[in-house]
Amino acid sequence: MAIARNPMSLSIQLPPPLQPGDLLVSIAPSGCVRDKNAFEAGVNLWRSQGYRVEISGIDDRHGYLAGTDAQRRDRLSRALSDPEVKGILYARGGYGGARLLEHWDWNAATTPKWSIGFSDITALLWSWAKQGISGVHGPLLATLAQEPQSSQNRLFDWVSGGAIAPLTGRGWGGGTAIGRLFPGNLAVATHLIGTPHEPDLTGAILAFEDIGEAPYRIDRLLTHWRMSGRFDNIAGIALGRFSRSDVAVPGFTAEEVLHDRLSDLGVPVVSDLPFGHDGINCALPVGVVAELDGDRGSLAICPR
């Protein structure tokens, strides 16, 4: 059965392709940087592509956050409003990105620019997409150097205007769906439901990953999606890695919970895709049109 549910319900604009010499700014909108060596290795990889990378406020601390809300909000606002800045490279995830969205106004952004990260950065990426601008769910500066060359090249190719290959996982059936792709961390995305920063997910392909969530907590998160009606009008679901989900108490595995809560939705589902924590984290653009094949087990980004 083929399914296609209004993939154009949300208009999304890609920022201009990056060119050598473009200025990118690194900020930490969530947790403070813990591994300076990994962070610097990520910065150097971007610089090796010919980009200028400016680092802003990486050493700030406020509890578990990379500075106060006002400091982190100011760094983001400055990067967005500076016309010379072509993209924002997030240093790491952790927690705190959603706090910036409280009392936040995206009107500070004068032109579309790249926004790249994952995990806690999901809150910023999805809110940015609601404004009609596509970001990239992909490696942070703190994780980029750990990626294989193929994953690094995928990210660099996409932001410079190139095409990226389909991802292959395990198909659960359900035919083919075409819709706007919303990749993100399950827990962070769940906490956007009902807020002004939740994008319209009508006809969307949701792509979830997570780390450190016990099976019962994954169950709780997915049950909230079901009870809130947010799964009612989606086109399909793609699943990445759900790492460190084991618990000592016997019960369901994360895989069993995912199957139990998602297999009856009547949409194509593909699992075991190579994105998320603790492994290859292939870049996925946010809000662009994608095709999910639940029979062949593939997720492909449609041509720009």
Side-chain angles (χ1 to χ4, degrees):
M1 177 178 64
I3 302 174
R5 298 181 178 177
N6 190 18
M8 307 305 290
S9 61
L10 179 67
S11 177
I12 292 287
Q13 182 180 0
L14 286 168
L18 293 178
Q19 305 289 335
D22 280 348
L23 176 63
L24 309 175
V25 171
S26 166
I27 65 172
S30 303
C32 43
V33 174
R34 297 174 180 172
D35 188 338
K36 234 6 185 350
N37 291 332
F39 167 77
E40 290 172 355
V43 169
N44 289 334
L45 280 169
W46 278 99
R47 287 175 173 162
S48 73
Q49 299 299 305
Y51 305 119
R52 294 177 292 143
V53 180
E54 180 182 290
I55 300 171
S56 176
I58 294 302
D59 294 323
D60 289 345
R61 298 286 187 276
H62 180 67
Y64 41 74
L65 303 169
T68 65
D69 290 349
Q71 288 174 321
R72 290 177 293 113
R73 194 178 286 118
D74 181 64
R75 290 197 294 268
L76 178 58
S77 179
R78 287 175 181 269
L80 288 168
S81 60
D82 186 340
E84 190 180 1
V85 174
K86 306 302 180 185
I88 302 172
L89 308 175
Y90 297 112
R92 66 163 299 228
Y95 170 74
R99 289 176 58 140
L100 302 190
L101 296 176
E102 191 176 13
H103 314 303
W104 178 254
D105 183 1
W106 283 108
N107 288 333
T110 56
T111 57
K113 53 190 67 182
W114 293 100
S115 180
I116 303 166
F118 84 115
S119 193
D120 191 63
I121 306 302
T122 296
L124 301 178
L125 293 174
W126 282 32
S127 181
W128 192 219
K130 186 173 182 179
Q131 311 309 306
I133 310 297
S134 175
V136 181
H137 180 277
L140 299 153
L141 286 173
T143 64
L144 181 60
Q146 302 164 22
E147 293 291 316
Q149 188 71 55
S150 59
S151 177
Q152 295 173 7
N153 290 344
R154 177 185 176 91
L155 174 58
F156 296 142
D157 286 347
W158 180 255
V159 298
S160 61
I164 52 177
L167 301 183
T168 302
R170 180 168 61 90
W172 295 12
T176 301
I178 295 175
R180 293 207 177 272
L181 180 65
F182 279 85
N185 177 271
L186 174 61
V188 177
T190 301
H191 289 97
L192 290 180
I193 291 176
T195 73
H197 300 279
E198 177 190 8
D200 179 6
L201 299 176
T202 302
I205 295 172
L206 300 175
F208 289 139
E209 63 83 32
D210 219 319
I211 181 173
E213 295 290 353
Y216 78 90
R217 292 201 294 266
I218 297 173
D219 188 331
R220 176 189 294 151
L221 294 166
L222 294 176
T223 298
H224 186 67
W225 280 81
R226 294 172 67 103
M227 294 181 66
S228 65
R230 294 311 193 270
F231 284 155
D232 292 351
N233 296 300
I234 63 170
I237 295 179
L239 299 172
R241 200 173 299 105
F242 284 75
S243 56
R244 306 186 207 178
S245 62
D246 297 333
V247 291
V249 180
F252 295 119
T253 64
E255 182 178 0
E256 289 170 334
V257 167
L258 290 167
H259 193 272
D260 179 64
R261 295 277 73 191
L262 300 175
S263 62
D264 64 345
L265 296 178
V267 299
V269 180
V270 177
S271 65
D272 301 312
L273 290 163
F275 71 93
H277 294 76
D278 292 343
I280 298 176
N281 187 24
C282 291
L284 292 171
V286 181
V288 303
V289 179
E291 180 176 312
L292 185 72
D293 192 324
D295 298 326
R296 295 185 178 183
S298 66
L299 173 64
I301 306 302
C302 296
R304 300 173 192 243

